[in-house]
Amino acid sequence: MSTRRTFFRQTAAAATGALTLPQFLPETFARPVAFADAGLKSVTQWAQDEDFWSWVKSEYTVSPTLLNLNNGGVCPQPKVVQDAHIRFYQYCNEAPSYYMWRILDQGRESLREKLADLGGCSAEEIAINRNATEGLNTVIFGLNLKPGDEVVLTKQDYPNMLNAWKQREKRDGIKLVYLNLDLPSENEDSLVDQYVKAFTAKTKVVHVTHMINWIGQVMPVRKIADEAHKRGIEVIADGAHSFALFDFKIPDLGADYYATSLHKWLCAPFGSGMLYIRQNKIRNVWALLSNNEPDGPDIRKFESLGTRSFASEMAIGTAVDFHNSIGTARKFARAHYLKNYWMEKVKDLPGVKIHTSLKPEFAGAVALFSIDGMKTSEVDGLLLNKYKIHTTGIDWENIHGVRVTPHVYHSPKDLDRLVAAITAISEKQAVAGKQKKAE
């Protein structure tokens, strides 16, 4: 009886699904397929099936020495995606203007369909671009707002988005209304109420981050959107950290506009992203990089980027195939299991504070911790320099700590290494604190 790994390799033989390649292009990309026994276990059982996840890990080319726990910034691509990217790049270089514009450019439509299927929306609502920042900037600068119009957002939203809104405020005289969230929170009604109380007759837009990148907080986007729409307010959702991790469909959020970075949890090539606009809203948004009909109803008006990396774009299709071989529900269950695995082991250590919920409805794979008496940079620096564990220090507004983001290619044993490091740092800090008091 074949193992899961050999089953996968025996059945993975087709070319990437991003487009139909001409016969003279070598079909060198293995396309992942779902396992036959996928329906025999609950996602909770799958989350702890180390045989399955050892196969997943073997498909990545990550460092065996540096423990990368900053996947919240950008995720590595599995080998099959890297291979697709490289082959498409080589293909383009055979005759760039011909193969890029006359061959690969045609693949965008089937790729749009594939992303729309994963997002649970119409392909006519999906634009393919370079990242969440570009997608959200497209909407922020494309909406028809006038002086005095109000936009509700939070101080905990992503800096690139805050800066975009500040530019509109400075240029166009709109008014920004900031919330200052006290996180983490496990009270959806309280979070929604804070937004609702900020709404006025002048509020035209509310900007909501689906998952707060600093701390892993999942926001109740749908509830906020429903309240906003009752008042005629449009909703922008920043989905940089949620797409291809959380098990949801984009329309279920109730947002009018949504953008994400595909080089995060989808593990697509670096510099690939996606913009969703509800179909009846497309005409209302001016294209950031204009085309012949910048105020038209066609979602493709947002793809006038000039010469782009066709290799990166076309390899997105392989990333979708690989993602589907795991399944979104299983991916989220595993990510959440790994997050809670290390958090549960360190949360009661002396001086260690956890700043992220353990509940799946309030947090995904991202978590934040701190150690009393130590600066964020000190903890982050020790983890890297002494233990070769790469995390990221967060000091933003009222959020301070070290962010840890495991991925599906990690194992509990990998996280035991993190736990041992935090334990050693915590114990050393506790001894130092006692000595200081004694003095």
Side-chain angles (χ1 to χ4, degrees):
M1 184 175 185
S2 64
T3 65
R4 290 186 178 92
R5 187 173 303 175
T6 56
F7 170 80
F8 181 94
R9 297 202 181 280
Q10 288 166 359
T11 53
T16 177
L19 75 166
T20 301
L21 299 174
Q23 291 182 356
F24 51 82
L25 177 63
E27 295 186 348
T28 57
F29 316 129
R31 181 169 62 194
V33 295
F35 290 108
D37 59 348
L40 302 181
K41 298 179 182 178
S42 68
V43 291
T44 301
Q45 291 172 318
W46 273 111
Q48 299 181 50
D49 185 339
E50 297 306 324
D51 185 24
F52 174 76
W53 297 107
S54 68
W55 161 72
V56 173
K57 184 170 187 173
S58 73
E59 296 300 307
Y60 285 83
T61 59
V62 294
S63 171
T65 53
L66 177 71
L67 180 56
N68 177 27
L69 294 177
N70 186 25
N71 293 279
V74 62
C75 297
Q77 299 145 49
K79 185 65 164 56
V80 67
V81 177
Q82 296 177 47
D83 289 344
H85 187 190
I86 291 168
R87 182 63 193 116
F88 279 128
Y89 189 79
Q90 293 171 332
Y91 180 50
C92 289
N93 275 280
E94 292 181 17
S97 63
Y98 176 78
Y99 289 119
M100 288 196 303
W101 295 110
R102 297 193 183 186
I103 304 297
L104 296 187
D105 198 40
Q106 300 172 37
R108 190 171 301 112
E109 293 310 312
S110 57
L111 178 56
R112 191 190 318 280
E113 292 279 355
K114 181 168 286 195
L115 288 168
D117 179 67
L118 184 57
C121 59
S122 166
E124 297 302 315
E125 298 174 313
I126 293 293
I128 302 166
N129 56 21
R130 292 171 290 198
N131 49 59
T133 293
E134 182 173 70
L136 293 168
N137 269 264
T138 296
V139 178
I140 291 169
F141 288 109
L143 289 173
N144 291 303
L145 297 175
K146 62 183 185 302
D149 286 346
E150 295 181 0
V151 175
V152 174
L153 62 168
T154 81
K155 292 183 177 181
Q156 288 72 32
D157 292 322
Y158 193 62
N160 282 351
M161 285 33 275
L162 296 178
N163 289 336
W165 281 118
K166 288 174 183 177
Q167 184 170 319
R168 283 222 67 173
E169 179 183 46
K170 186 174 184 179
R171 188 184 71 184
D172 301 321
I174 66 172
K175 180 182 178 181
L176 303 182
V177 179
Y178 293 96
L179 304 178
N180 191 17
L181 302 177
D182 185 14
L183 302 174
S185 173
E186 294 182 351
N187 188 330
E188 287 191 347
D189 291 339
S190 174
L191 290 170
V192 174
D193 286 346
Q194 291 178 69
Y195 282 88
V196 172
K197 288 176 181 177
F199 295 158
T200 72
K202 294 183 178 181
T203 305
K204 302 300 179 185
V205 179
V206 57
H207 181 111
V208 188
T209 302
H210 193 184
M211 192 204 78
I212 305 291
N213 68 295
W214 313 114
I215 197 169
Q217 176 76 44
V218 177
M219 298 295 290
V221 179
R222 183 56 189 254
K223 290 184 178 181
I224 295 169
D226 288 346
E227 291 295 332
H229 288 149
K230 288 178 186 177
R231 297 161 174 81
I233 300 168
E234 293 194 298
V235 181
I236 299 175
D238 180 345
H241 290 266
S242 60
F243 189 73
L245 175 64
F246 299 157
D247 192 13
F248 74 104
K249 300 303 180 184
I250 296 174
D252 293 343
L253 294 178
D256 302 292
Y257 314 98
Y258 174 95
T260 189
S261 292
L262 301 178
H263 53 243
K264 290 187 185 290
W265 292 97
L266 186 62
C267 297
F270 309 133
S272 57
M274 183 183 82
L275 169 65
Y276 160 90
I277 297 183
R278 193 188 300 273
Q279 197 160 6
N280 64 349
K281 298 285 184 178
I282 296 171
R283 186 184 290 276
N284 302 337
V285 183
W286 293 83
L288 186 63
L289 300 175
S290 191
N291 65 1
N292 63 316
E293 196 177 6
D295 56 346
D298 192 336
I299 193 70
R300 294 160 188 80
K301 71 183 181 181
F302 302 112
E303 294 176 345
S304 298
L305 307 179
T307 303
R308 54 167 64 80
S309 173
F310 286 88
S312 293
E313 188 170 275
M314 288 300 102
I316 293 170
T318 309
V320 175
D321 288 341
F322 185 83
H323 169 85
N324 286 337
S325 73
I326 297 174
T328 308
R330 278 188 284 183
K331 180 185 278 188
F332 178 81
R334 177 63 170 184
H336 188 262
Y337 165 72
L338 291 174
K339 176 185 75 72
N340 280 18
Y341 179 88
W342 73 266
M343 287 174 62
E344 291 280 7
K345 290 179 178 294
V346 305
K347 65 184 179 66
D348 296 323
L349 292 174
V352 173
K353 290 184 178 178
I354 296 295
H355 304 279
T356 301
S357 175
L358 289 162
K359 298 179 180 179
E361 62 269 35
F362 296 107
V366 177
L368 194 82
F369 80 97
S370 62
I371 297 178
D372 289 344
M374 297 186 71
K375 295 179 180 179
T376 299
S377 58
E378 292 175 327
V379 180
D380 181 48
L382 267 175
L383 287 173
L384 180 60
N385 297 326
K386 185 173 182 179
Y387 299 98
K388 300 305 175 189
I389 300 174
H390 176 46
T391 56
T392 186
I394 303 296
D395 283 306
W396 179 259
E397 293 294 336
N398 58 351
I399 299 174
H400 305 280
V402 173
R403 190 182 74 179
V404 175
T405 316
H407 205 310
V408 293
Y409 61 80
H410 286 120
S411 67
K413 190 173 184 62
D414 292 325
L415 295 175
D416 286 339
R417 181 172 158 188
L418 172 69
V419 170
I422 296 175
T423 301
I425 296 171
S426 167
E427 290 175 349
K428 186 175 181 179
Q429 179 64 14
V431 171
K434 289 178 180 179
Q435 290 176 342
K436 188 175 181 179
K437 284 184 179 180
E439 294 173 358

